[in-house]
mmCIF file of all heavy atoms in Angstrom:
data_model
loop_
_atom_site.group_PDB
_atom_site.id
_atom_site.type_symbol
_atom_site.label_atom_id
_atom_site.label_comp_id
_atom_site.label_asym_id
_atom_site.label_seq_id
_atom_site.Cartn_x
_atom_site.Cartn_y
_atom_site.Cartn_z
ATOM 1 N N GLN B 41 107.026 75.085 -8.741
ATOM 2 C CA GLN B 41 107.266 76.033 -9.839
ATOM 3 C C GLN B 41 105.977 76.731 -10.282
ATOM 4 O O GLN B 41 105.720 76.922 -11.478
ATOM 5 C CB GLN B 41 107.907 75.307 -11.040
ATOM 6 C CG GLN B 41 109.304 74.817 -10.797
ATOM 7 C CD GLN B 41 110.288 75.969 -10.561
ATOM 8 O OE1 GLN B 41 110.167 77.031 -11.170
ATOM 9 N NE2 GLN B 41 111.244 75.749 -9.670
ATOM 10 N N PHE B 42 105.169 77.143 -9.321
ATOM 11 C CA PHE B 42 103.856 77.701 -9.649
ATOM 12 C C PHE B 42 103.982 79.157 -10.081
ATOM 13 O O PHE B 42 104.597 79.978 -9.412
ATOM 14 C CB PHE B 42 102.920 77.597 -8.437
ATOM 15 C CG PHE B 42 101.517 78.028 -8.740
ATOM 16 C CD1 PHE B 42 100.624 77.161 -9.338
ATOM 17 C CD2 PHE B 42 101.088 79.319 -8.443
ATOM 18 C CE1 PHE B 42 99.327 77.559 -9.620
ATOM 19 C CE2 PHE B 42 99.807 79.722 -8.727
ATOM 20 C CZ PHE B 42 98.915 78.836 -9.315
ATOM 21 N N THR B 43 103.357 79.455 -11.222
ATOM 22 C CA THR B 43 103.318 80.813 -11.765
ATOM 23 C C THR B 43 101.890 81.121 -12.190
ATOM 24 O O THR B 43 101.218 80.282 -12.779
ATOM 25 C CB THR B 43 104.253 80.953 -12.980
ATOM 26 O OG1 THR B 43 105.602 80.686 -12.564
ATOM 27 C CG2 THR B 43 104.186 82.353 -13.574
ATOM 28 N N THR B 44 101.438 82.318 -11.870
ATOM 29 C CA THR B 44 100.108 82.746 -12.315
ATOM 30 C C THR B 44 100.184 84.186 -12.799
ATOM 31 O O THR B 44 101.093 84.932 -12.418
ATOM 32 C CB THR B 44 99.072 82.610 -11.182
ATOM 33 O OG1 THR B 44 97.773 82.880 -11.703
ATOM 34 C CG2 THR B 44 99.369 83.554 -10.033
ATOM 35 N N LEU B 45 99.228 84.572 -13.650
ATOM 36 C CA LEU B 45 99.274 85.863 -14.331
ATOM 37 C C LEU B 45 98.081 86.726 -13.955
ATOM 38 O O LEU B 45 97.044 86.217 -13.495
ATOM 39 C CB LEU B 45 99.287 85.654 -15.858
ATOM 40 C CG LEU B 45 100.334 84.700 -16.423
ATOM 41 C CD1 LEU B 45 100.111 84.509 -17.924
ATOM 42 C CD2 LEU B 45 101.739 85.226 -16.156
ATOM 43 N N VAL B 46 98.215 88.027 -14.175
ATOM 44 C CA VAL B 46 97.075 88.931 -14.082
ATOM 45 C C VAL B 46 96.072 88.526 -15.162
ATOM 46 O O VAL B 46 96.456 88.332 -16.324
ATOM 47 C CB VAL B 46 97.517 90.395 -14.291
ATOM 48 C CG1 VAL B 46 96.301 91.321 -14.305
ATOM 49 C CG2 VAL B 46 98.501 90.815 -13.212
ATOM 50 N N PRO B 47 94.776 88.337 -14.816
ATOM 51 C CA PRO B 47 93.792 87.886 -15.813
ATOM 52 C C PRO B 47 93.801 88.738 -17.065
ATOM 53 O O PRO B 47 93.760 89.962 -17.005
ATOM 54 C CB PRO B 47 92.459 88.015 -15.053
ATOM 55 C CG PRO B 47 92.831 87.862 -13.614
ATOM 56 C CD PRO B 47 94.182 88.503 -13.485
ATOM 57 N N GLY B 48 93.894 88.075 -18.219
ATOM 58 C CA GLY B 48 93.855 88.756 -19.502
ATOM 59 C C GLY B 48 95.163 89.389 -19.932
ATOM 60 O O GLY B 48 95.198 90.081 -20.948
ATOM 61 N N THR B 49 96.254 89.169 -19.166
ATOM 62 C CA THR B 49 97.549 89.753 -19.521
ATOM 63 C C THR B 49 98.632 88.686 -19.404
ATOM 64 O O THR B 49 98.360 87.548 -19.050
ATOM 65 C CB THR B 49 97.908 90.939 -18.600
ATOM 66 O OG1 THR B 49 98.243 90.429 -17.293
ATOM 67 C CG2 THR B 49 96.738 91.900 -18.468
ATOM 68 N N ARG B 50 99.865 89.091 -19.700
ATOM 69 C CA ARG B 50 101.019 88.210 -19.510
ATOM 70 C C ARG B 50 101.866 88.666 -18.331
ATOM 71 O O ARG B 50 103.006 88.245 -18.161
ATOM 72 C CB ARG B 50 101.882 88.202 -20.780
ATOM 73 C CG ARG B 50 101.175 87.737 -22.041
ATOM 74 C CD ARG B 50 100.662 86.320 -21.908
ATOM 75 N NE ARG B 50 101.742 85.379 -21.660
ATOM 76 C CZ ARG B 50 101.562 84.095 -21.375
ATOM 77 N NH1 ARG B 50 100.323 83.611 -21.261
ATOM 78 N NH2 ARG B 50 102.590 83.294 -21.167
ATOM 79 N N THR B 51 101.301 89.535 -17.487
ATOM 80 C CA THR B 51 102.027 90.051 -16.322
ATOM 81 C C THR B 51 101.960 89.053 -15.178
ATOM 82 O O THR B 51 100.852 88.682 -14.751
ATOM 83 C CB THR B 51 101.439 91.390 -15.863
ATOM 84 O OG1 THR B 51 101.434 92.302 -16.967
ATOM 85 C CG2 THR B 51 102.239 91.959 -14.709
ATOM 86 N N PRO B 52 103.084 88.575 -14.678
ATOM 87 C CA PRO B 52 103.035 87.559 -13.614
ATOM 88 C C PRO B 52 102.663 88.162 -12.264
ATOM 89 O O PRO B 52 103.093 89.262 -11.905
ATOM 90 C CB PRO B 52 104.469 87.010 -13.592
ATOM 91 C CG PRO B 52 105.313 88.121 -14.122
ATOM 92 C CD PRO B 52 104.464 88.867 -15.112
ATOM 93 N N LEU B 53 101.831 87.419 -11.542
ATOM 94 C CA LEU B 53 101.522 87.764 -10.155
ATOM 95 C C LEU B 53 102.394 86.966 -9.194
ATOM 96 O O LEU B 53 102.870 87.479 -8.196
ATOM 97 C CB LEU B 53 100.042 87.495 -9.865
ATOM 98 C CG LEU B 53 99.036 88.467 -10.474
ATOM 99 C CD1 LEU B 53 97.623 87.925 -10.324
ATOM 100 C CD2 LEU B 53 99.147 89.833 -9.840
ATOM 101 N N LEU B 54 102.559 85.688 -9.511
ATOM 102 C CA LEU B 54 103.446 84.813 -8.751
ATOM 103 C C LEU B 54 104.448 84.209 -9.718
ATOM 104 O O LEU B 54 104.093 83.857 -10.849
ATOM 105 C CB LEU B 54 102.658 83.696 -8.054
ATOM 106 C CG LEU B 54 101.614 84.127 -7.016
ATOM 107 C CD1 LEU B 54 100.879 82.903 -6.472
ATOM 108 C CD2 LEU B 54 102.253 84.912 -5.877
ATOM 109 N N LYS B 55 105.696 84.053 -9.261
ATOM 110 C CA LYS B 55 106.755 83.602 -10.162
ATOM 111 C C LYS B 55 107.511 82.428 -9.542
ATOM 112 O O LYS B 55 108.245 82.602 -8.564
ATOM 113 C CB LYS B 55 107.726 84.760 -10.445
ATOM 114 C CG LYS B 55 107.083 85.938 -11.163
ATOM 115 C CD LYS B 55 107.957 87.166 -11.162
ATOM 116 C CE LYS B 55 107.901 87.896 -9.831
ATOM 117 N NZ LYS B 55 108.576 89.206 -9.853
ATOM 118 N N GLY B 56 107.310 81.233 -10.097
ATOM 119 C CA GLY B 56 108.091 80.061 -9.714
ATOM 120 C C GLY B 56 108.055 79.730 -8.231
ATOM 121 O O GLY B 56 109.101 79.504 -7.621
ATOM 122 N N ILE B 57 106.868 79.684 -7.652
ATOM 123 C CA ILE B 57 106.728 79.418 -6.220
ATOM 124 C C ILE B 57 106.985 77.938 -5.932
ATOM 125 O O ILE B 57 106.431 77.058 -6.592
ATOM 126 C CB ILE B 57 105.328 79.816 -5.718
ATOM 127 C CG1 ILE B 57 105.063 81.297 -6.029
ATOM 128 C CG2 ILE B 57 105.185 79.533 -4.227
ATOM 129 C CD1 ILE B 57 105.950 82.251 -5.303
ATOM 130 N N ASN B 58 107.825 77.663 -4.925
ATOM 131 C CA ASN B 58 108.122 76.294 -4.506
ATOM 132 C C ASN B 58 108.091 76.223 -2.978
ATOM 133 O O ASN B 58 108.790 76.996 -2.314
ATOM 134 C CB ASN B 58 109.508 75.840 -4.982
ATOM 135 C CG ASN B 58 109.520 75.481 -6.458
ATOM 136 O OD1 ASN B 58 109.000 74.445 -6.852
ATOM 137 N ND2 ASN B 58 110.094 76.356 -7.267
ATOM 138 N N PHE B 59 107.286 75.323 -2.430
ATOM 139 C CA PHE B 59 107.338 75.009 -1.004
ATOM 140 C C PHE B 59 106.433 73.812 -0.737
ATOM 141 O O PHE B 59 105.610 73.436 -1.579
ATOM 142 C CB PHE B 59 106.923 76.205 -0.130
ATOM 143 C CG PHE B 59 105.473 76.588 -0.246
ATOM 144 C CD1 PHE B 59 104.508 76.043 0.599
ATOM 145 C CD2 PHE B 59 105.068 77.518 -1.187
ATOM 146 C CE1 PHE B 59 103.178 76.406 0.501
ATOM 147 C CE2 PHE B 59 103.735 77.886 -1.297
ATOM 148 C CZ PHE B 59 102.792 77.326 -0.459
ATOM 149 N N GLN B 60 106.593 73.223 0.426
ATOM 150 C CA GLN B 60 105.769 72.091 0.852
ATOM 151 C C GLN B 60 105.288 72.327 2.281
ATOM 152 O O GLN B 60 105.992 72.921 3.095
ATOM 153 C CB GLN B 60 106.549 70.776 0.785
ATOM 154 C CG GLN B 60 106.850 70.305 -0.629
ATOM 155 C CD GLN B 60 107.504 68.933 -0.636
ATOM 156 O OE1 GLN B 60 107.926 68.446 0.406
ATOM 157 N NE2 GLN B 60 107.593 68.334 -1.807
ATOM 158 N N VAL B 61 104.064 71.854 2.543
ATOM 159 C CA VAL B 61 103.500 71.904 3.889
ATOM 160 C C VAL B 61 103.086 70.482 4.267
ATOM 161 O O VAL B 61 102.138 69.953 3.691
ATOM 162 C CB VAL B 61 102.282 72.850 3.968
ATOM 163 C CG1 VAL B 61 101.774 72.930 5.412
ATOM 164 C CG2 VAL B 61 102.620 74.230 3.442
ATOM 165 N N PRO B 62 103.788 69.842 5.191
ATOM 166 C CA PRO B 62 103.381 68.500 5.628
ATOM 167 C C PRO B 62 101.996 68.542 6.270
ATOM 168 O O PRO B 62 101.557 69.580 6.791
ATOM 169 C CB PRO B 62 104.458 68.118 6.647
ATOM 170 C CG PRO B 62 105.618 69.000 6.322
ATOM 171 C CD PRO B 62 105.035 70.284 5.825
ATOM 172 N N ALA B 63 101.323 67.428 6.230
ATOM 173 C CA ALA B 63 99.991 67.345 6.811
ATOM 174 C C ALA B 63 100.038 67.677 8.291
ATOM 175 O O ALA B 63 100.914 67.233 9.026
ATOM 176 C CB ALA B 63 99.426 65.939 6.607
ATOM 177 N N GLY B 64 99.087 68.501 8.724
ATOM 178 C CA GLY B 64 98.978 68.847 10.136
ATOM 179 C C GLY B 64 99.829 70.017 10.571
ATOM 180 O O GLY B 64 99.726 70.458 11.714
ATOM 181 N N GLN B 65 100.675 70.547 9.700
ATOM 182 C CA GLN B 65 101.500 71.692 10.085
ATOM 183 C C GLN B 65 100.764 73.009 9.834
ATOM 184 O O GLN B 65 99.808 73.084 9.056
ATOM 185 C CB GLN B 65 102.819 71.689 9.313
ATOM 186 C CG GLN B 65 103.873 70.787 9.910
ATOM 187 C CD GLN B 65 105.281 71.225 9.507
ATOM 188 O OE1 GLN B 65 105.482 72.167 8.764
ATOM 189 N NE2 GLN B 65 106.264 70.511 10.025
ATOM 190 N N THR B 66 101.252 74.050 10.500
ATOM 191 C CA THR B 66 100.694 75.391 10.349
ATOM 192 C C THR B 66 101.755 76.298 9.736
ATOM 193 O O THR B 66 102.857 76.418 10.262
ATOM 194 C CB THR B 66 100.254 75.953 11.711
ATOM 195 O OG1 THR B 66 99.266 75.087 12.266
ATOM 196 C CG2 THR B 66 99.661 77.339 11.552
ATOM 197 N N LEU B 67 101.391 76.923 8.611
ATOM 198 C CA LEU B 67 102.323 77.778 7.877
ATOM 199 C C LEU B 67 101.785 79.202 7.856
ATOM 200 O O LEU B 67 100.622 79.439 7.491
ATOM 201 C CB LEU B 67 102.487 77.277 6.442
ATOM 202 C CG LEU B 67 103.322 78.154 5.499
ATOM 203 C CD1 LEU B 67 104.797 78.077 5.869
ATOM 204 C CD2 LEU B 67 103.108 77.756 4.042
ATOM 205 N N ALA B 68 102.612 80.160 8.235
ATOM 206 C CA ALA B 68 102.270 81.578 8.117
ATOM 207 C C ALA B 68 102.908 82.124 6.847
ATOM 208 O O ALA B 68 104.064 81.831 6.542
ATOM 209 C CB ALA B 68 102.759 82.347 9.336
ATOM 210 N N VAL B 69 102.152 82.909 6.103
ATOM 211 C CA VAL B 69 102.657 83.572 4.895
ATOM 212 C C VAL B 69 102.720 85.056 5.190
ATOM 213 O O VAL B 69 101.702 85.683 5.515
ATOM 214 C CB VAL B 69 101.746 83.294 3.686
ATOM 215 C CG1 VAL B 69 102.313 83.960 2.436
ATOM 216 C CG2 VAL B 69 101.578 81.797 3.465
ATOM 217 N N VAL B 70 103.915 85.630 5.119
ATOM 218 C CA VAL B 70 104.108 87.033 5.468
ATOM 219 C C VAL B 70 104.799 87.751 4.318
ATOM 220 O O VAL B 70 105.358 87.123 3.419
ATOM 221 C CB VAL B 70 104.951 87.181 6.759
ATOM 222 C CG1 VAL B 70 104.276 86.496 7.935
ATOM 223 C CG2 VAL B 70 106.360 86.629 6.551
ATOM 224 N N GLY B 71 104.754 89.064 4.384
ATOM 225 C CA GLY B 71 105.387 89.880 3.358
ATOM 226 C C GLY B 71 104.689 91.210 3.258
ATOM 227 O O GLY B 71 103.576 91.402 3.776
ATOM 228 N N PRO B 72 105.293 92.179 2.599
ATOM 229 C CA PRO B 72 104.669 93.502 2.461
ATOM 230 C C PRO B 72 103.436 93.437 1.570
ATOM 231 O O PRO B 72 103.198 92.462 0.859
ATOM 232 C CB PRO B 72 105.781 94.346 1.816
ATOM 233 C CG PRO B 72 106.641 93.354 1.102
ATOM 234 C CD PRO B 72 106.602 92.098 1.935
ATOM 235 N N SER B 73 102.643 94.495 1.611
ATOM 236 C CA SER B 73 101.467 94.585 0.748
ATOM 237 C C SER B 73 101.884 94.487 -0.716
ATOM 238 O O SER B 73 102.866 95.102 -1.133
ATOM 239 C CB SER B 73 100.733 95.908 0.991
ATOM 240 O OG SER B 73 100.262 95.977 2.320
ATOM 241 N N GLY B 74 101.125 93.700 -1.479
ATOM 242 C CA GLY B 74 101.442 93.510 -2.891
ATOM 243 C C GLY B 74 102.496 92.468 -3.153
ATOM 244 O O GLY B 74 102.944 92.308 -4.298
ATOM 245 N N SER B 75 102.892 91.723 -2.127
ATOM 246 C CA SER B 75 103.929 90.708 -2.320
ATOM 247 C C SER B 75 103.386 89.422 -2.924
ATOM 248 O O SER B 75 104.159 88.569 -3.353
ATOM 249 C CB SER B 75 104.618 90.399 -0.986
ATOM 250 O OG SER B 75 103.678 89.913 -0.036
ATOM 251 N N GLY B 76 102.056 89.259 -2.935
ATOM 252 C CA GLY B 76 101.467 88.065 -3.540
ATOM 253 C C GLY B 76 100.881 87.088 -2.540
ATOM 254 O O GLY B 76 100.537 85.965 -2.921
ATOM 255 N N LYS B 77 100.710 87.492 -1.293
ATOM 256 C CA LYS B 77 100.183 86.587 -0.272
ATOM 257 C C LYS B 77 98.766 86.134 -0.613
ATOM 258 O O LYS B 77 98.467 84.938 -0.634
ATOM 259 C CB LYS B 77 100.200 87.265 1.102
ATOM 260 C CG LYS B 77 101.568 87.714 1.580
ATOM 261 C CD LYS B 77 101.547 88.215 3.004
ATOM 262 C CE LYS B 77 100.593 89.370 3.207
ATOM 263 N NZ LYS B 77 100.958 90.567 2.423
#
């Protein structure tokens, strides 16, 4: 449930992120520009 904001504002950059990466696995994060990668 990770959420973070633009510094000095209440505008969210990430909203309620949930995922797990087991040890030793490789995870790719994809998405359009400005998606929060």
